[in-house]
């Protein structure tokens, strides 16, 4: 089974909640990619796209809640990065006509590739800086 994004410890933030959510997103991006490679039922692909979309948004909310709770100074720019991504993802999603399109697999691969590229960059930059800021605070919380 090929993977479009491979988990590596370089992505670790050392914040348990964030790391476990990131790992789940990686797993689901790969599931979507593999489902396309296997030409799985379109209904299944659509289900994966929608659940990935939902889960990614929940994850963004988690990070944004941490940022607000601890009054992170880069909150606005980090949230903007999340919103930019949501817009891109939404645009790609809207480009396909789920029932009729013959291009569903190509679009879904495009989605998984877009998400993989974005995650690779975002986790090593914005999320790393956020993790550095949260490190002592979240640990103290127990
Ligand atoms: Fe983030």
């Amino acid at each position: 089974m090929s993977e479009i994004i491979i988990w590596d410890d370089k992505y670790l933030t050392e914040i348990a909640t964030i790391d476990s959510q990131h790992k789940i997103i990686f797993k689901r991006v790969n599931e979507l990619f593999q489902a396309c490679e296997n030409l799985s039922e379109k209904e299944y692909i659509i289900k994966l796209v929608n659940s990935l979309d939902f889960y990614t948004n929940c994850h963004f909310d988690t990070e944004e809640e941490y940022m607000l709770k601890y009054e992170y100074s880069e909150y606005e720019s980090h949230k903007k990065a999340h919103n930019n991504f949501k817009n891109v993802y939404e645009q790609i999603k809207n480009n396909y006509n789920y029932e009729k399109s013959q291009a569903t697999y190509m679009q879904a691969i495009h989605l998984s590739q877009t998400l993989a590229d974005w995650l690779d960059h975002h986790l090593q930059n914005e999320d790393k800086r956020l993790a550095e800021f949260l490190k002592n605070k979240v640990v103290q919380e127990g």
Side-chain angles (χ1 to χ4, degrees):
M1 287 282 212
S2 50
E3 294 185 316
I4 197 161
I5 185 161
I6 296 166
W7 180 264
D8 185 281
D9 285 351
K10 71 182 176 191
Y11 296 122
L12 281 174
T13 64
E14 307 291 348
I15 311 290
T17 316
I18 295 178
D19 284 337
S20 67
Q21 291 183 350
H22 281 161
K23 284 179 184 171
I24 291 171
I25 294 174
F26 271 53
K27 205 171 151 222
R28 297 204 172 159
V29 172
N30 284 322
E31 269 169 15
L32 175 61
F33 181 67
Q34 285 155 7
C36 294
E37 276 194 331
N38 298 337
L39 302 178
S40 302
E41 292 284 324
K42 281 188 185 175
E43 287 69 25
Y44 179 59
I45 304 275
I46 291 162
K47 212 178 113 196
L48 289 179
V49 168
N50 289 335
S51 77
L52 189 52
D53 195 16
F54 177 77
Y55 193 78
T56 309
N57 285 327
C58 289
H59 165 64
F60 290 160
D61 288 346
T62 301
E63 287 189 358
E64 288 165 20
E65 278 163 25
Y66 272 130
M67 290 188 246
L68 283 176
K69 183 172 180 186
Y70 297 106
E71 298 177 336
Y72 183 48
S73 63
E74 290 185 49
Y75 170 75
E76 288 300 334
S77 60
H78 197 139
K79 190 181 162 72
K80 205 171 161 192
H82 290 167
N83 287 342
N84 285 344
F85 174 76
K86 285 184 200 177
N87 291 339
V88 171
Y89 201 76
E90 207 51 37
Q91 262 173 24
I92 302 172
K93 254 182 77 176
N94 290 341
N95 277 346
Y96 53 124
N97 180 336
Y98 286 126
E99 276 92 48
K100 294 182 188 144
S101 173
Q102 294 303 309
T104 302
Y105 297 111
M106 292 305 292
Q107 298 281 9
I109 286 176
H110 186 193
L111 274 176
S112 47
Q113 181 69 65
T114 303
L115 192 39
D117 291 346
W118 188 84
L119 284 168
D120 177 58
H121 178 270
H122 185 74
L123 266 60
Q124 294 186 81
N125 293 279
E126 284 93 344
D127 284 357
K128 268 274 184 295
R129 289 203 299 279
L130 171 61
E132 196 53 44
F133 169 78
L134 289 176
K135 204 158 61 185
N136 302 317
K137 300 178 171 65
V138 177
V139 169
Q140 279 163 13
E141 206 179 49

